[in-house]
Each structure stands twice: as C-alpha cells, then as structure tokens.
Amino acid sequence: MSTSNSMTFNIRIWRQKNAKTPGKLVEYKLDGISPDMSFLEMLDQLNERLYAKGEEPVAFDHDCREGICGMCSLNVNGIPHGPDSQVTICQTHMRIFKDGQTITIEPWRSTAFPVIKDCVVDRSAFDRIIQAGGFVSVNTGGTPDANALPISKEIADLAMDAAACIGCGACVAACKNSSALLFVSAKASQLNLLPQGKAEKDRRVLKMVEAMDKEGFGACTNTNSCEAVCPKGIPVTFIAQLNRDYAWAMLKGAAAEPKATVGGA
Amino acid sequence: MPLIKFLRSTVGLKIIMGVTGAALFAFTVIHMVGNLQIFLGQEALNNYAQMLHASDEVIWGFRLGLGAVAALHIICAVVLTIRNRAARGSEAYAEYAAPGASLASRTMAISGVIVAAFIIFHLLHFTTQSIDPSFKELTEIHKGVERHDVYAMVIKGFQVPWVSAFYIISVALVSFHLSHGIASCFRSMGLTNPAYREVQEWFGLAFAVIIFVGMAAVPAAVLLGLVKL
C-alpha cells in the first residue's frame, strides 16, 4: 500500500464491556487507511492494532459484507449505515470520508435493541415479530403448478420491493421514536400482497403489530427518517399500507377470539 | 376485546390521531373561510356570526363534538409521546442527524403544545370574552333587533398590537404544525400509496400556507388599518 495515498482518521467509537456496565466513546488515531477499504476493513485495521497492543478489539456485527445479510449495524456520524445512501455500512468505502476527519461510531440505540458489547446490539426483537406472523402456513399436498396463481407484474414488483428488507434495524435506529414500522410493514406486505399470503393477512397484521408493541418499539410519526437510511430504499408507503390493513382487520373483527360455531369444537 | 387491543396499539392510536387531526384540519379551513368574511364588511360578518349562534342545540353540539375530537387528539399524542420517549431509551446518541426528517415532523409535540395554549387564549379572548369583558357590550341594531357586533369586537381586539402580533405568530405555528400534520394524517389513516403520496405532500404544504395567509390576514389588515369601524 502506498503511503502517499493513505488516509488518517480520528475514530470515536462506543466501547462497552457488556450489557450491564455503562459504556463511553473512546478515541483512536488510525493512520495508513486506504481509500479503497470498506468501512469494516477500516475497523478490522483498528482491531489488528488494538490486538497487537494487547487491548480488547472492538466488537461489531458483520457477516456477508456484501450488503445482503443485514448483520452490520453501525451508526456513523449520526446516521445509521453512514452518509452513503442506499448502502449498508459494510458496502461503504473510506473514500467518501475526508482525510483527517473524525468519525463517530455508535451502536443502534433503542430500548428494544439493548447493547450486548461495544457496537453489538441484540436484535432478537425482530425475530419475535417474524415469529408472530411474518410467515405463510404451507400445508402438505402435491406441488402446485408454477403458473396456477396469476400475479400481476405491478403486484409482484411491489412485493419484491417489500421483500428487499434485510432486517438490519437501521429504520429503528434512525427513528426519533425507535419505531419498527418500516420493518414490520415490509415484512407483512411482502406476504400480504401475494395470493399465498392473503389467507392469513388479517391475523398476520394484528399479530405482528401486537408483537411489535410488546417489544417496546415506538409509534410512527411519519418523519421519513427510516426511508432515508434504509439500505434497500424501502418506501414509507408500506407503513401506510400496514395502517390500512390494520384498520381493515380491526373493522372486520379479526382481533376477536373465535367463537365456537354449531357443530364445531 | 378487539377495541381494547386497538386502543392499546401504537398503530391504533395513530389512526385515531390521523382521523381527529383531519377533522381539526377541516374545522380550521371552515374557520378561516368564516373569518375572511370580515373583508365583506360588518353586515356580512355579523350575519354569519348570527347564523352560527342561531340555535343553542346546534352550536353546543358542535362545540362539544369539536372539544371531544381535540381532546382525543391530545390524549393520543400524550400517550404516544411517552411511549416514544421510552422506546428511544435512556442512552442518547452522541451524534444524531435525523436524516430525511423535516423540522416540523420532529417538533410536532412542541408545536402542538404551543397551538393548544394559543387555542385556550383565543377561546378566552373571542369566545368567552373573559380577557376583555367590554367585548360583550359591543352590539348593533340589525332590522330592529339587537345583536352582538362581532365585526367591532374583532377590530377592537386586533387594534392592540401585541395581541395581533401574538395571533400572527400563533397561526404561523399552526401552519408549521399542519405542514407536517396534513400529509401525516393521510399516512396514519392508511390512505397513502405510491401513486398519491406526492400529491398529499403538496396538498399538505399548500394548505399550511393557505391557512397561514388566510388566518393572519385578519389581524394584519386590522393593524394596517385596511379594515376599520
């Protein structure tokens, strides 16, 4: 690596021993960073040096580093996934920062996402919302013909847009209310829009909203922060769609406990 | 109970805020159109006021209904604000850029409280006329019958510069609240989709400006002496 092309950064990063101890921002001077490095490679460099000095490396979540797994979750200079739009922080390169710049790195902040260590948060609240209704029940039987269910191009595209959600939680991290509604609406709509998901639509919407509230996420005040940081560019119109689906499910009485019918159990 | 579930959910409470917000917005538009009749002169405005007060049953039914709508909007806002603060957690971001969010959208609770305070002042000023009780004695003889002279009351009220200034600043805040609130109502009620989103946002901004101009026009015209007794 040529030194003439290398960058120096002042890294302020959140250090927290575990969920129980309070954390703080710690500053590290980091030189010899190539502009072509990804943000996480820059953190790898920091950790290599901390390790060499016998210090504890910084814990942060990452997996595929291709922007599709939803593991990376860093709030960089006040913006989840950093200043680059529609990419995850793992797909962000150091060239977008200025040489000598101070970069502040914090974990997602939300009551529903407690910090486990350093910049790693527990996002299992999202898993519990999916378990509440983010699925279709597939019964056994013969394999259906691929073209037996007609789906219009428009609906298929819309469902695909919703399905782009990688569940990273940036929407929650960006929202001033820690609302999870962009995630919940995308995960509900990807199924609700399609014939396979319609059968359980009302129940799904009610159960997922109930689970979301139980986890302690806030309400949506339509600020659009979630949409601005979403690495997949999922639009807030899915939230309106979920509100509509929720209202309909309520009007239909879908939230009531089922009553035993004549000849029934 | 389904209704209890609805009232406990953040989505249900936001739907209530959307519906009540839309009703309050509709009232604001009607109120503005009513106010603007001051430019048609004393006869027109006082006729309109007399018409509104023609039946105690109607006006009190309307007042109670509007009060209930406003109360619901405020109660839901308070409950949700408390829940939203709790959801954010005790550890604040060292840096928080609020990407994509307008200033109005981030300060709805603050602008809402100021608007509520203004409405209370406004009711004490022109409805109960407690701030200046001499307003009650302003009457005119119309077709041989004595009636309240609203035209004179409004002019007398707004000839006080600090009162007019306060009204103009307050309606600016109402319009600031609406600049986010109108479009937000559509979204909370679930009436937004990709085809209508942009139109609703423009509709919201346009009406925020219209409300400001229409509402501020009356105290401004009185202060400038364009409307006088």
Side-chain angles (χ1 to χ4, degrees), chain A residues 77-78 104 106 109 111 172-178 213 216 218-225 227 229 240 243-244 246 255, chain B residues 2 5-6 9-11 14 80 84 86-89 91 93-97 99-101 105 180 184 187-188 190 192 194 197:
Chain A
N77 289 345
T104 306
E106 294 175 84
R109 296 255 181 244
T111 305
V172 173
C175 177
K176 75 177 184 68
N177 311 320
S178 275
D213 285 337
C220 171
T221 49
N222 303 313
T223 68
N224 300 343
S225 281
E227 178 185 74
V229 302
N243 291 342
R244 180 161 69 244
Y246 183 85
Chain B
K5 274 189 188 165
F6 183 82
S9 86
T10 48
V11 175
K14 278 302 289 189
L80 287 172
N84 292 345
R88 189 78 329 283
E91 191 77 60
Y93 282 117
E95 279 188 33
Y96 179 62
S105 76
H180 174 71
S184 187
R187 297 246 292 263
S188 297
T192 305
R197 179 185 178 180

Side-chain angles (χ1 to χ4, degrees), chain B residues 15 22 24-25 34 43 46 54 64 68 77 79 113-114 121 137-138 178 198 201 204 207 220 226:
Chain B
I15 292 171
L24 293 169
F25 164 63
E43 168 93 23
N46 287 353
L64 292 174
V79 171
V113 168
I114 301 171
F121 176 85
E137 286 138 37
L138 295 169
L178 289 176
E198 214 173 324
E201 281 165 5
F207 263 91
L226 301 173

Side-chain angles (χ1 to χ4, degrees), chain A residues 131-172:
Chain A
Q131 283 161 7
F135 52 81
V136 286
S137 304
V138 179
N139 297 313
T140 53
T143 312
D145 183 82
N147 295 318
L149 287 171
I151 302 167
S152 74
K153 167 88 172 118
E154 291 78 11
I155 292 295
D157 284 352
L158 203 57
M160 260 326 265
D161 287 349
C165 173
I166 54 175
C168 65
C171 44
V172 173

Side-chain angles (χ1 to χ4, degrees), chain B:
Chain B
M1 269 286 286
L3 186 65
I4 304 231
K5 274 189 188 165
F6 183 82
L7 292 174
R8 275 178 152 176
S9 86
T10 48
V11 175
L13 291 173
K14 278 302 289 189
I15 292 171
I16 296 173
M17 287 208 70
V19 173
T20 52
L24 293 169
F25 164 63
F27 168 75
T28 310
V29 174
I30 296 163
H31 188 349
M32 176 190 76
V33 174
N35 291 354
L36 289 173
Q37 293 179 72
I38 197 167
F39 294 106
L40 299 176
Q42 188 169 21
E43 168 93 23
L45 188 70
N46 287 353
N47 281 345
Y48 176 66
Q50 195 179 14
M51 184 269 286
L52 291 182
H53 288 261
S55 151
D56 275 350
E57 288 82 356
V58 170
I59 196 161
W60 275 103
F62 195 80
R63 280 172 175 171
L64 292 174
L66 191 63
V69 165
L72 263 179
H73 193 73
I74 292 167
I75 292 166
C76 292
V78 170
V79 171
L80 287 172
T81 304
I82 293 168
R83 284 171 73 166
N84 292 345
R85 294 261 158 92
R88 189 78 329 283
S90 51
E91 191 77 60
Y93 282 117
E95 279 188 33
Y96 179 62
S102 69
L103 183 65
S105 76
R106 285 182 284 131
T107 52
M108 289 300 274
I110 301 164
S111 59
V113 168
I114 301 171
V115 167
F118 162 64
I119 291 169
I120 291 167
F121 176 85
H122 177 49
L123 291 176
L124 292 172
H125 189 217
F126 282 147
T127 307
T128 66
Q129 293 147 26
S130 323
I131 287 170
D132 186 349
S134 73
F135 285 177
K136 290 193 177 106
E137 286 138 37
L138 295 169
T139 52
E140 62 156 3
I141 306 294
H142 178 76
K143 290 180 184 163
V145 185
E146 193 181 24
R147 68 177 182 182
H148 189 221
D149 191 352
V150 174
Y151 185 81
M153 175 180 79
V154 170
I155 291 172
K156 213 180 146 197
F158 286 146
Q159 272 170 348
V160 184
W162 73 264
V163 170
S164 279
F166 177 67
Y167 267 79
I168 292 169
I169 294 166
S170 299
V171 293
L173 270 160
V174 171
S175 129
F176 183 67
H177 194 75
L178 289 176
S179 72
H180 174 71
I182 298 169
S184 187
C185 280
F186 287 112
R187 297 246 292 263
S188 297
M189 291 190 288
L191 299 178
T192 305
N193 64 31
Y196 299 146
R197 179 185 178 180
E198 214 173 324
V199 176
Q200 289 169 350
E201 281 165 5
W202 281 111
F203 175 87
L205 287 176
F207 263 91
V209 173
I210 291 169
I211 293 283
F212 174 70
V213 172
M215 291 288 199
V218 179
V222 173
L223 263 193
L224 295 171
L226 301 173
V227 177
K228 52 186 174 237
L229 283 168

